[in-house]
């Protein structure tokens, strides 16, 4: 088992990474939670594979459980879904001494986490991420949120879980597309902070080969994120580096109404695009964008910017949470493993977008 502690100012919490950990979830939860009621929030896809298994494991330890199943997909990160989940928690008579378990990928983790942070002004939370993207990124760091029609994650809070339980074996039920989706975030960690991880990923033959050592890769990514979060819990400085590729990536997701490109695919496009812009501005070492392009291709991720109205991208970028005041901030890289927060004038973005559409 790999384990680490995230030492946040608002409260520390452990991350456990172990093959087969889901089978021990009842006893593991009992070690950190002495109450009785547990609400398990999951989605329709994850529920088919793991919902009842988790309920049975918790019941075996004497917990009183209640399962809330939401529709799978980004559309569940909405106020409509929040109201439905709040109602079901009221039906179950959940109080502030009880606990919520988020069992699922990034959508469930973000939405259920936001529920936990707001219902009765705060209910304890446990994260059990079931996708690679959630295991390496969204379940760690305490960011929880829902979307608005005009942008992703625009209503949210910082709310740390009591623990994160990661079972890499759960990735065995993911389609190749969702493995690639998670690899987009894994690659991001290598680009911004760890060239050794990046080139290790480059040297794997394919995703299947990478998955054989995925527990160590997950641990590496979580360690990078924990290290950054400990220094900048509320995303006002260094933590913004974790959003490399996300500014343009979120714009791509939003333009296609969260159905054309997955999060990892969109981040891949964003990583390549902003690196190419960095090269053109003399900020990034020439050839770096091509290196990123090659690793994206290896893991079946897109890299070319689809045809999008320039105004739509600029509008989405203007709502990005890294922008403070009138500045348009982007996460940029000097080279693989070396990232920083920089400012690019809107005109340069517009010029690049107009010259590089399909």
């Amino acid at each position: 088992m790999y384990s680490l502690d995230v030492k946040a100012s608002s409260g520390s919490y452990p991350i456990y990474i172990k093959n087969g950990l889901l089978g021990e979830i009842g006893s593991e939860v009992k070690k950190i939670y002495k109450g009785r009621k547990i609400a398990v929030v999951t989605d329709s896809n994850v529920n088919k594979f793991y919902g009842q298994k988790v309920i049975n494991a918790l019941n075996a330890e004497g917990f009183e459980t209640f399962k809330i199943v939401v529709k799978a997909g980004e559309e569940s990160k909405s106020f409509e879904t929040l109201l439905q989940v709040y109602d079901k928690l009221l039906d179950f008579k959940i109080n502030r001494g009880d606990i919520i378990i988020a069992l699922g990928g990034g959508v469930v983790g973000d939405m259920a986490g936001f529920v936990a942070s707001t219902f009765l002004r705060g209910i304890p939370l446990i994260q059990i991420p079931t996708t690679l993207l959630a295991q390496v990124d969204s379940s760690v760091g305490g960011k929880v949120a829902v979307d608005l029609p005009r942008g992703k994650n625009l209503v949210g809070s910082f709310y740390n879980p009591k623990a994160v339980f990661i079972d890499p074996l759960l990735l065995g039920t993911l389609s190749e597309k969702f493995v690639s989706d998670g690899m987009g975030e894994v690659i991001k960690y290598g680009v911004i902070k760890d060239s050794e991880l990046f080139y290790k990923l480059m040297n794997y033959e394919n995703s299947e080969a990478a998955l054989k050592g995925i527990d160590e890769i997950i641990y590496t990514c979580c360690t990078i994120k924990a290290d950054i979060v400990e220094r900048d819990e509320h995303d006002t400085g260094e933590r913004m580096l974790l959003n490399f590729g996300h500014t343009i990536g979120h714009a791509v997701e939003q333009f296609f109404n969260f159905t054309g490109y997955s999060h990892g695919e969109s981040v891949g496009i964003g990583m390549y695009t902003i690196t190419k812009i960095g090269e053109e501005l003399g900020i990034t070492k020439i050839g770096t964008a091509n290196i990123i392009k090659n690793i994206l291709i290896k893991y079946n991720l897109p890299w070319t910017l689809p045809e999008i109205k320039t105004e739509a991208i600029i509008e989405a970028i203007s709502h990005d949470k890294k922008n403070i005041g009138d500045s348009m901030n982007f996460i940029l890289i000097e080279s693989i493993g070396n990232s920083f927060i920089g400012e690019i004038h809107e005109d340069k973005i517009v010029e690049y977008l107009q010259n590089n559409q399909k």
Side-chain angles (χ1 to χ4, degrees):
M1 178 189 285
Y2 292 98
S3 65
L4 64 148
D5 289 315
V6 182
K7 298 178 179 66
S9 60
S10 59
S12 300
Y13 57 95
I15 302 171
Y16 300 107
I17 305 163
K18 180 184 178 183
N19 289 329
L21 186 57
L22 196 70
E24 305 168 10
I25 201 64
S27 59
E28 290 296 329
V29 169
K30 196 163 189 175
K31 292 176 185 176
I32 62 171
Y33 171 56
K34 304 306 178 186
R36 183 170 60 90
K37 285 186 177 181
I38 299 177
V40 177
V41 182
T42 189
D43 70 32
S44 52
N45 287 342
V46 174
N47 183 51
K48 288 185 289 189
F49 290 105
Y50 307 115
Q52 199 55 47
K53 181 176 182 178
V54 169
I55 292 293
N56 292 343
L58 295 170
N59 289 346
E61 295 294 335
F63 294 115
E64 182 182 348
T65 58
F66 183 78
K67 185 168 61 175
I68 301 172
V69 182
V70 302
K71 184 178 180 180
E74 187 74 25
E75 63 189 275
S76 285
K77 280 178 64 174
S78 66
F79 277 89
E80 182 181 358
T81 302
L82 285 181
L83 293 175
Q84 294 169 3
V85 175
Y86 290 145
D87 275 343
K88 290 177 181 177
L89 292 174
L90 288 170
D91 291 341
F92 192 46
K93 296 182 172 56
I94 285 285
N95 63 48
R96 295 177 72 180
D98 301 322
I99 200 163
I100 292 172
I101 291 179
L103 173 68
V107 168
V108 168
D110 283 359
M111 183 275 297
F114 187 73
V115 166
S117 75
T118 51
F119 187 70
L120 303 180
R121 297 193 177 94
I123 303 290
L125 171 71
I126 288 173
Q127 292 275 8
I128 305 179
T130 60
T131 64
L132 180 56
L133 190 151
Q135 290 182 353
V136 300
D137 193 68
S138 60
S139 67
V140 177
K143 276 188 179 181
V144 295
V146 292
D147 304 334
L148 292 180
R150 295 178 65 181
K152 188 170 180 178
N153 298 329
L154 290 181
V155 179
S157 59
F158 294 92
Y159 194 70
N160 289 325
K162 295 299 180 185
V164 181
F165 295 105
I166 297 174
D167 184 348
L169 293 184
L170 304 188
L171 304 181
T173 54
L174 293 182
S175 67
E176 186 176 336
K177 178 180 175 66
F178 280 99
V179 172
S180 294
D181 185 52
M183 289 306 299
E185 288 285 359
V186 174
I187 291 165
K188 174 202 75 178
Y189 282 106
V191 176
I192 64 168
K193 280 289 182 181
D194 193 335
S195 60
E196 183 179 339
L197 171 62
F198 183 90
Y199 289 107
K200 180 179 181 179
L201 295 171
M202 276 293 284
N203 289 332
Y204 283 120
E205 185 178 351
N206 49 36
S207 295
E208 186 178 346
L211 282 175
K212 292 179 181 176
I214 200 65
D215 55 342
E216 183 180 357
I217 291 172
I218 293 169
Y219 175 73
T220 300
C221 294
C222 288
T223 300
I224 293 170
K225 184 161 189 178
D227 186 52
I228 292 173
V229 167
E230 286 174 358
R231 290 194 296 271
D232 179 22
E233 185 176 356
H234 293 113
D235 206 14
T236 57
E238 185 183 3
R239 184 169 178 168
M240 294 183 191
L241 298 177
L242 296 168
N243 280 336
F244 175 65
H246 284 58
T247 301
I248 292 172
H250 282 167
V252 171
E253 284 184 278
Q254 184 181 337
F255 185 81
F256 290 97
N257 200 28
F258 304 104
T259 58
Y261 291 86
S262 70
H263 179 70
E265 289 171 339
S266 300
V267 167
I269 292 169
M271 288 192 292
Y272 173 81
T273 302
I274 197 62
T275 303
K276 195 67 179 173
I277 293 172
E279 287 185 8
E280 293 188 3
L281 294 175
I283 295 169
T284 304
K285 182 180 178 182
I286 298 297
T288 306
N290 198 54
I291 294 171
I292 291 174
K293 169 186 168 182
N294 289 337
I295 198 169
L296 292 173
I297 291 171
K298 175 183 280 285
Y299 288 99
N300 300 311
L301 290 162
W303 57 275
T304 53
L305 191 66
E307 188 171 346
I308 301 175
K309 292 179 181 177
T310 299
E311 316 86 76
I313 282 206
I314 295 300
E315 169 70 11
I317 288 172
S318 70
H319 293 301
D320 190 272
K321 296 173 289 300
K322 290 184 297 301
N323 293 327
I324 299 174
D326 296 326
S327 299
M328 187 167 279
N329 292 322
F330 285 87
I331 308 308
L332 303 165
I333 58 171
E334 296 176 358
S335 58
I336 300 298
N338 298 292
S339 58
F340 65 99
I341 302 168
E343 192 174 315
I344 301 179
H345 196 277
E346 180 180 314
D347 291 348
K348 295 295 184 182
I349 302 297
V350 171
E351 180 182 345
Y352 179 86
L353 294 174
Q354 290 177 337
N355 292 336
N356 289 274
Q357 295 290 296
K358 283 183 177 177

